Amino acid sequence: MNKLPPALKFIIMFVLGAAAMIAAQWLASYLRGRVFEIDWIYIIGMGILVALLDLAIPASKRKENRERLKNSFKKD
């Protein structure tokens, strides 16, 4: 996804973030035995937050940080 234009990457991450929030809301309502109602303002806001966080801290940087943390626990 590194070769995508930033606007397209933002849109993709927004859609993925919004879909994840819808799934989380559905799962929470299912587990609690409540009626599933979509809160659109929450969904749109969280989708934008996910997309902005991906722009601020790209996946490649997060992967590098995970690898560095994993290597810090290894004994030499």
Side-chain angles (χ1 to χ4, degrees):
M1 274 177 83
N2 289 339
K3 297 183 182 191
L4 292 176
L8 181 60
K9 188 174 180 183
F10 184 87
I11 291 170
I12 290 171
M13 291 307 296
F14 170 78
V15 170
L16 290 176
M21 292 301 119
I22 289 174
Q25 279 189 339
W26 173 82
L27 183 62
S29 67
Y30 178 76
L31 293 175
R32 293 178 181 163
R34 297 181 181 170
V35 177
F36 174 58
E37 295 180 9
I38 296 177
D39 182 3
W40 287 107
I41 294 174
Y42 173 77
I43 297 297
I44 292 170
M46 290 304 289
I48 291 172
L49 178 66
V50 167
L52 288 175
L53 287 175
D54 187 63
L55 287 177
I57 307 170
S60 59
K61 182 68 174 171
R62 292 191 311 267
K63 182 178 180 182
E64 178 184 316
N65 289 342
R66 284 192 309 271
E67 290 293 325
R68 190 175 329 123
L69 182 64
K70 185 176 82 174
N71 292 337
S72 71
F73 289 111
K74 291 182 181 178
K75 293 183 179 180
D76 291 331

